[in-house]
Amino acid sequence: MRRTRLAGALTAVIALALTATGCGGGAPKAAPGAVAAADPDRVEPLPSPASPRLPVTVPSADGRQVTVASAERIVPLSGSLSELVFTLGLGDRVVARDVTATFEQAADLPVVTRAHDVSAESVLSLKPTLVLAESTTGPAEAIAQIRDAGVPLVVVPAAKDLGDVDDRIDDVAAALGVPASGARLRERTGERIAAVREKIPARAEKPRVAFLYVRGSAAVYLLGGAESGASSLLEAAGAVDAGKESGLTKDFTPITSEALAQAAPDAILVMTKGLQSVGGVDGLVKIPGVAETPAGAGRRVVSVDDGVLLNYGPRTDRVLASLVDQLYGGTR
């Protein structure tokens, strides 16, 4: 498994709003209370999708070889996998969605499961011909029940960084019998990510950004470390992952004043729903230790949609562009 269960669970949240709050100075330059314009929550399918060429036998991340004979009725068990299927041009074959598939084209599909609380009965009731899961999908009993019913189920390794984007596209495209479409999508995605990176302004000193996972309703306040899944994005945006740089080697650690002081972030990255759950920036800076950091004192906060931040899929360029715009004040 290439990603911890906690890091994988971070994808199971909903919303789309690209917001930035903060003031000028130091690193990021977003103005206090500024709100970035949100793109429509849509995926962009390939213009000329191919029809599946089946049957195919593909490796599953749990060590099995799975034969897929039909892609007429697809059930992806995460929003990220749904995004890939729709972008490859096979969205009309998807018969249900996970709660994290929040983009517009999937809105009318029935919600039958959550990525970490799969209902085998709900999935099987739709008579799928192919189920796609992630290595973090569970419980294991539900996955086994779907397989025992004779449904081909392919497990795709969970993503952790930018280097996983190509493999992720290829894995899903192979399972769907559309490898040529996968190659085109991989090329398009890579070109778009490269275009964003080329426009990142050169800086003598990179901004230090701490990734905080917060859920006020559940009193969950965590500081991301090297394995949080955000490091690769922050580094690609020309920033330093402050948690990782301060020596946090795990995925997440509880927020403490000491840990935040050690990280000393110039800006804080949060998921949009998380920011809302603590009452916006006003509530965020009330979390012990936040106000004492350079980011908290300057109210420099960057937020990105929960459902796409750590997907590492076809919309990664948009996530990266949002980070860059918010960190550098639209200097792109």
Side-chain angles (χ1 to χ4, degrees):
M1 182 181 297
R2 290 189 289 170
R3 190 178 191 173
T4 64
R5 183 168 297 277
L6 177 57
L10 294 186
T11 62
V13 281
I14 311 171
L16 180 70
L18 303 177
T19 61
T21 57
C23 63
K29 297 182 179 179
V35 178
D39 290 329
D41 191 2
R42 293 181 56 85
V43 299
E44 182 186 349
L46 290 172
S48 301
S51 296
R53 299 186 64 178
L54 300 171
V56 295
T57 298
V58 295
S60 180
D62 56 356
R64 300 168 182 259
Q65 293 289 318
V66 179
T67 297
V68 180
S70 170
E72 289 301 316
R73 299 181 64 81
I74 306 168
V75 176
L77 296 181
S78 76
S80 176
L81 292 173
S82 291
E83 177 181 334
L84 280 163
V85 176
F86 272 81
T87 307
L88 286 164
L90 301 181
D92 60 340
R93 298 166 182 253
V94 177
V95 296
R97 68 182 176 97
D98 177 81
V99 71
T100 61
T102 60
F103 53 90
E104 185 176 303
Q105 293 100 319
D108 293 333
L109 291 171
V111 176
V112 297
T113 188
R114 298 171 183 268
H116 300 276
D117 187 18
V118 171
S119 168
E121 292 80 6
S122 295
V123 172
L124 292 173
S125 71
L126 293 162
K127 302 185 183 306
T129 60
L130 172 63
V131 173
L132 297 172
E134 306 216 19
S135 55
T136 52
T137 302
E141 294 79 8
I143 299 302
Q145 186 176 344
I146 294 170
R147 278 208 168 113
D148 289 345
V151 178
L153 187 150
V154 177
V155 179
V156 177
K160 187 174 180 179
D161 56 45
L162 279 174
D164 295 328
V165 173
D166 285 356
D167 288 343
R168 204 162 164 75
I169 292 172
D170 285 344
D171 288 344
V172 173
L176 295 174
V178 290
S181 292
R184 294 203 308 274
L185 180 58
R186 188 177 65 239
E187 181 179 8
R188 186 183 82 177
T189 304
E191 289 174 349
R192 291 179 176 183
I193 291 173
V196 175
R197 299 185 72 170
E198 287 175 0
K199 296 180 181 179
I200 296 173
R203 302 181 64 88
E205 186 174 349
K206 296 181 178 180
R208 296 174 59 86
V209 183
F211 174 40
L212 304 188
Y213 179 72
V214 295
R215 282 296 181 269
S217 57
V220 174
Y221 308 106
L222 303 173
L223 170 61
E227 298 298 318
S228 73
S231 293
S232 181
L233 277 173
L234 291 173
E235 291 163 3
V240 171
D241 182 338
K244 174 183 176 181
E245 187 74 7
S246 69
L248 299 179
T249 58
K250 299 189 300 181
D251 47 9
F252 291 92
T253 190
I255 291 174
T256 64
S257 297
E258 293 77 11
L260 285 172
Q262 181 71 21
D266 300 308
I268 290 171
L269 169 64
V270 290
M271 293 179 173
T272 302
K273 281 286 187 181
L275 185 60
Q276 293 172 353
S277 76
V278 297
V281 177
D282 288 340
L284 187 68
V285 297
K286 293 178 182 177
I287 295 174
V290 172
E292 286 69 47
T293 65
R299 297 171 64 86
R300 292 187 287 265
V301 179
V302 172
S303 74
V304 176
D305 167 35
D306 305 44
V308 298
L309 176 60
L310 300 180
N311 275 5
Y312 290 109
R315 293 191 287 176
T316 298
D317 65 295
R318 288 161 62 175
V319 175
L320 186 58
S322 177
L323 285 175
V324 172
D325 283 342
Q326 295 181 69
L327 284 172
Y328 306 110
T331 57
R332 293 173 58 248

